[in-house]
């Protein structure tokens, strides 16, 4: 699965697509002070439970580390994963 990234001045997204289009996405908004707010994570219903959203989140954490961002996990999925995975604490806003 190839995770792609798209962003502009205020928003961004990590996503995976197939021949039918985007089937998984994690979106964020940029705040001042090098903070990104993960506000939405979604996977096509028939593909849920396969760890796809977790892979998108891991990718966003790596992106934050590489670019010196902090993450505010507003999305319920991201918030639960940040609470469960203490290794993300270095990037939590």
């Amino acid at each position: 699965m190839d995770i792609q990234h798209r962003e502009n001045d205020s928003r961004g997204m990590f996503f995976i697509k197939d021949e039918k289009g985007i089937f998984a996405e994690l979106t964020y908004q940029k705040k001042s002070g090098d903070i990104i707010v993960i506000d939405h994570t979604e996977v096509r219903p028939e593909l849920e439970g396969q760890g796809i959203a977790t892979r998108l989140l891991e990718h966003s954490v790596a992106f934050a580390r590489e670019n010196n961002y902090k993450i505010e996990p507003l999305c319920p999925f991201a918030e639960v994963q940040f609470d469960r995975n203490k290794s993300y604490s270095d990037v939590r806003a």
Side-chain angles (χ1 to χ4, degrees), residues 4-48:
Q4 297 179 52
H5 182 223
R6 181 183 314 155
E7 72 177 347
N8 60 31
D9 291 339
S10 62
R11 297 199 50 79
M13 71 184 290
F14 294 96
F15 62 98
I16 306 170
K17 61 184 188 177
D18 60 14
E19 65 281 347
K20 297 177 187 174
I22 294 174
F23 67 83
E25 67 181 19
L26 179 150
T27 62
Y28 64 87
Q29 55 186 300
K30 296 178 184 178
K31 287 175 60 173
S32 60
D34 294 328
I35 294 175
I36 59 176
V37 179
I38 295 176
D39 54 14
H40 179 72
T41 307
E42 184 174 356
V43 176
R44 214 181 279 154
E46 65 269 18
L47 299 173
E48 289 178 355

Side-chain angles (χ1 to χ4, degrees), residues 42-67:
E42 184 174 356
V43 176
R44 214 181 279 154
E46 65 269 18
L47 299 173
E48 289 178 355
Q50 298 181 27
I52 298 169
T54 300
R55 289 186 58 197
L56 289 172
L57 184 62
E58 290 169 349
H59 203 81
S60 68
V61 168
F63 172 78
R65 287 179 177 140
E66 291 168 12
N67 293 281

